[in-house]
Amino acid sequence: MITDPDVYTRGVPYEHLAALRRESPVVRVDDFWAVLRHSDVKHVLKNPKRFSSHLGGTQIRDPATELDLGYVRRMMLNMDPPEHARLRGLLTKAFTPRAVGRLTERIQGWARELVAGVRDDGECDFATLAADLPLLTLAEVFGIPEQDRRLMYDWSNRVIGYQDADYAVSATVDADDVTDLARAALAVRPVPGPDGAMPDPRTRAGMPDLYAYATALGEFKRRNPGEDVMSNLMGHVEDGGRVSIAEFENLFWLFSVAGNETLRNGIPGGMLALLSHPDQYRRLLADRSLLPGAVEEMLRFWTPVMHFRRTATEDVVLSDVDIRAGEKVVVWFSAANRDESVFEDPDRFDIGRTPNDHLTFGHGPHFCLGAQLARVQLRAMFEAVLDLLGEAELAGEPVRLRSNFQNGLKSLPIRW
């Protein structure tokens, strides 16, 4: 049940996850071990020597071929120390508090512009509105021309939403509205085959337009370096190979897809949590000092990324369960963030909850680099909503993404 993407079109099966956890904190599901308890999830994530990201990648589904496995292993997300630390170290300065602080005012401005743009309409699709803030932010951080930002929207849809018929074929970018770099990439964008299926987006061959753009952008940054992350990485490609071309391209993939999709679903997910709990919404309207804590509760209550896989490197025992070397171990954040041993009344949405040790950004060496940047964007968007729209309400039925990986909203109609 917890792997059936159709289940998630109706909502995350929290009750079933809790029942499984009560049965055993580590339970066999299909061909993997699901880790459902908060403390066990932490243990797995902070012990990469025993639970590897590299051996089989971080998705439940095995890559189809050895070539595909080699491709995913080149991504930082699927690396173990020390290779993971080498790449992460080159990126950390882009996400220091000082660096994020310099961006905060711009992010607040974009959020207010987006919300002000719909204020007089009296209603909007909040999922559509929210999608643009992470795109604007990523374009700024990574030095992507602003008019090309919607490419990341389509790439994210195709990769993260491959189980959803609408997202798998996402193609919203008009070639007349983008740069020459983007037009060249669009020229090799795949189209559905005779059976309506798209090539597997979790392979290099399935995303030729993304890689064409990454290659062209890298060459552009080599000739015209700036202060952005991509220029910094390209400099390390040129300085004797601290970063390979393949690593540069795969880091671009990671930023464009993972850096966008999580927040794009986290913002409307947080909004739906407020709309579903009007007492908490009014509490926040009355006391804005609660906003930082409200953002943390949104992240816990609506966990965007529901799970990640590791592979056991040796025989281990986890919560009295024997796990053999080579077996898949999948940490389930949606369950851990509602573990009653850590969170009192875990199914209650409480914007004043403290402490709030949620695992939405992960734990250990792979803790999300962009966590603080994500928090800034969430706060900015909800500050704008509270200031400019006041109390909103649902204007129709939310439409959920068909995915067992990303807790996503395709549509969230609201009015005020």
Side-chain angles (χ1 to χ4, degrees):
M1 178 179 180
I2 66 172
T3 57
D4 181 355
D6 287 325
V7 166
Y8 293 87
T9 63
R10 302 185 293 275
V12 179
Y14 292 114
E15 290 184 7
H16 185 62
L17 287 165
L20 286 175
R21 187 174 58 246
R22 287 191 292 269
E23 173 188 326
S24 173
V26 179
V27 63
R28 191 73 179 179
V29 177
D30 300 334
D31 65 343
F32 63 88
W33 293 103
V35 182
L36 307 172
R37 187 164 63 185
H38 190 277
S39 59
D40 290 329
V41 169
K42 275 190 164 183
H43 177 77
V44 169
L45 293 178
K46 71 182 181 184
N47 286 285
K49 287 186 178 180
R50 287 188 164 186
F51 302 99
S52 170
S53 300
H54 182 71
L55 280 181
T58 51
Q59 300 298 303
I60 294 177
R61 186 180 62 167
D62 289 319
T65 67
E66 284 297 317
L67 186 65
D68 293 339
L69 177 59
Y71 154 76
V72 300
R73 281 175 167 171
R74 291 197 298 268
M75 293 184 183
M76 190 173 74
L77 185 68
N78 302 310
M79 289 181 176
D80 295 327
E83 289 300 285
H84 171 262
R86 172 179 60 86
L87 287 183
R88 188 179 176 99
L90 295 173
L91 299 168
T92 50
K93 70 177 183 180
F95 300 99
T96 62
R98 178 179 295 180
V100 173
R102 287 197 297 267
L103 273 173
T104 297
E105 189 173 339
R106 298 206 69 185
I107 291 170
Q108 290 170 338
W110 289 324
R112 294 189 79 84
E113 286 176 14
L114 290 170
V115 176
V118 301
R119 177 174 51 181
D120 293 340
D121 298 337
E123 62 181 14
C124 76
D125 186 332
F126 192 74
T128 300
L129 177 75
D132 229 18
L133 185 58
L135 296 178
L136 286 162
T137 303
L138 286 171
E140 177 77 10
V141 173
F142 301 127
I144 297 169
E146 186 178 309
Q147 64 265 46
D148 292 351
R149 68 185 187 276
R150 295 292 295 186
L151 290 172
M152 293 185 287
Y153 178 86
D154 285 339
W155 294 333
S156 296
N157 281 356
R158 283 160 47 198
V159 173
I160 302 296
Y162 75 95
Q163 295 170 319
D164 187 290
D166 295 328
Y167 275 24
V169 297
S170 185
T172 64
V173 176
D174 188 326
D176 293 335
D177 299 332
V178 293
T179 66
D180 290 342
L181 295 181
R183 274 191 287 276
L186 291 174
V188 296
R189 181 173 58 192
V191 296
D195 60 353
M198 291 282 281
D200 186 350
R202 300 191 183 202
T203 65
R204 185 182 177 90
M207 299 295 293
D209 46 336
L210 183 152
Y211 282 99
Y213 191 86
T215 301
L217 182 66
E219 179 60 23
F220 177 81
K221 295 297 181 184
R222 187 183 66 79
R223 298 193 310 268
N224 306 277
E227 298 299 316
D228 54 86
V229 169
M230 291 299 148
S231 293
N232 177 50
L233 286 173
M234 201 64 203
H236 289 299
V237 171
E238 300 293 319
D239 72 359
R242 290 177 66 191
V243 178
S244 70
I245 288 291
E247 286 171 340
F248 172 86
E249 292 175 348
N250 283 321
L251 283 166
F252 180 79
W253 183 103
L254 182 64
F255 296 142
S256 300
V257 175
N260 165 40
E261 191 68 16
T262 300
L263 195 63
R264 174 181 151 195
N265 287 313
I267 294 174
M271 186 64 175
L272 182 56
L274 283 178
L275 296 171
S276 303
H277 300 83
D279 60 322
Q280 298 298 302
Y281 198 149
R282 291 171 194 139
R283 185 182 173 195
L284 185 57
L285 273 169
D287 185 357
R288 302 298 176 81
S289 70
L290 292 169
L291 184 55
V295 163
E296 298 307 311
E297 181 69 343
M298 291 172 188
L299 290 164
R300 182 195 73 86
F301 195 80
W302 184 282
T303 305
V305 175
M306 293 185 282
H307 59 74
F308 266 126
R309 168 191 170 178
R310 299 293 188 261
T311 304
T313 62
E314 59 186 52
D315 293 352
V316 295
V317 178
L318 186 64
S319 281
D320 298 325
V321 173
D322 292 322
I323 297 173
R324 301 301 180 195
E327 290 188 324
K328 301 178 189 179
V329 179
V330 180
V331 293
W332 220 274
F333 300 117
S334 299
N337 277 348
R338 298 207 182 192
D339 184 342
E340 60 277 358
S341 70
V342 176
F343 305 100
E344 183 181 353
D345 196 3
D347 294 323
R348 177 169 56 91
F349 180 69
D350 177 8
I351 64 170
R353 183 182 295 277
T354 184
N356 195 341
D357 185 24
H358 66 77
L359 297 175
T360 297
F361 293 121
H363 186 70
H366 280 276
F367 182 82
C368 178
L369 264 174
Q372 284 307 111
L373 193 61
R375 288 181 167 110
V376 167
Q377 291 175 79
L378 279 157
R379 291 173 194 167
M381 181 59 80
F382 285 101
E383 281 175 358
V385 167
L386 295 169
D387 287 348
L388 301 178
L389 304 185
E391 186 174 354
E393 63 181 15
L394 279 172
E397 194 68 27
V399 179
R400 293 176 178 266
L401 179 66
R402 183 182 183 270
S403 172
N404 63 15
F405 176 67
Q406 186 80 212
N407 187 17
L409 282 169
K410 294 161 60 175
S411 178
L412 181 63
I414 65 170
R415 57 176 171 251
W416 50 90

